[in-house]
Amino acid sequence: GTTLRAGMLVREDSPMKPMRDMKGKRMTWGFPAFPPNIEWGLGELNAAGMTIKDVVSVPVTEVTVGVQALVDGRVDVAIAAVGMPAIGEANARVGVRFLPLPAGPEAIKQLQLVMPGATIRPLPPGLPGIKEQTTLGVVPIVVQTSTALPDDTAYALVKVWWDNHKELEPIHPQFRGWVPEGF
């Protein structure tokens, strides 16, 4: 399928440029309503040569609340996924941008120690928070099922997706990358 892209979001006027500037800053953390965000945070910190001990963790329930905390000035950094509507709103209100994740084989290796299958890729400007080409964490979005799913049912699902992938695009921005070449 397509990919989920996420990173460390800051206000546009923030003096932070590389991720190492996050040391000692207040960052969203906890995420009891969606714990997988912890993996994103730990993975990206690891890729940047840091740990959660290098930042001041500020508890939030989930990423949308975290982006609002950034807008309100309660945190300096919010873990967020590219394309979230909350980022568009934050960008319109205060201006936001993602910090670039270090790139290169060692950074990818460190990210994968926490998030196997993830990688780091440059994203072109255009989406809210992406002002210029910015390297961010990327993980494939996959469809998982039980091994008990009959083969003919699995085939039928893939065929429907294959034949109708363009009709999925208006449903959610992530479906723009849901193309047969990725299947």
Side-chain angles (χ1 to χ4, degrees):
T2 186
T3 58
L4 179 63
R5 298 133 332 156
M8 304 297 180
L9 190 70
V10 299
R11 291 174 71 126
E12 189 155 8
D13 61 0
S14 169
M16 288 182 272
K17 299 296 182 202
M19 281 186 58
R20 69 178 172 269
D21 290 347
M22 291 173 44
K23 287 188 178 185
K25 303 295 185 198
R26 300 168 298 162
M27 185 181 87
T28 57
W29 197 246
F31 310 105
F34 195 73
N37 292 315
I38 293 170
E39 186 178 35
W40 273 107
L42 294 174
E44 294 203 355
L45 286 169
N46 206 45
M50 297 187 298
T51 72
I52 192 64
K53 293 178 182 177
D54 290 314
V55 296
V56 176
S57 57
V58 176
V60 296
T61 54
E62 48 84 28
V63 291
T64 304
V65 172
V67 172
Q68 185 61 50
L70 180 69
V71 170
D72 295 344
R74 292 180 282 130
V75 297
D76 305 301
V77 181
I79 298 170
V82 175
M84 291 173 48
I87 294 175
E89 293 171 20
N91 194 50
R93 290 180 60 201
V94 299
V96 293
R97 61 183 165 79
F98 283 96
L99 294 176
L101 191 60
E106 185 57 28
I108 293 171
K109 177 182 171 188
Q110 294 304 313
L111 175 65
Q112 290 176 346
L113 287 174
V114 178
M115 297 181 69
T119 193
I120 299 169
R121 290 194 186 135
L123 273 67
L127 291 170
I130 309 290
K131 308 294 183 185
E132 58 189 19
Q133 183 169 296
T134 305
T135 51
L136 292 177
V138 175
V139 67
I141 296 175
V142 298
V143 176
Q144 297 177 347
T145 184
S146 164
T147 57
L149 183 74
D151 288 348
D152 60 335
T153 303
Y155 178 84
L157 285 169
V158 173
K159 181 168 179 19
V160 167
W161 293 327
W162 187 284
D163 292 344
N164 301 288
H165 69 277
K166 287 191 180 294
E167 293 167 32
L168 296 172
E169 288 182 19
I171 296 170
H172 191 279
Q174 285 296 129
F175 281 126
R176 289 186 199 124
W178 187 259
V179 295
E181 295 79 22
F183 295 171

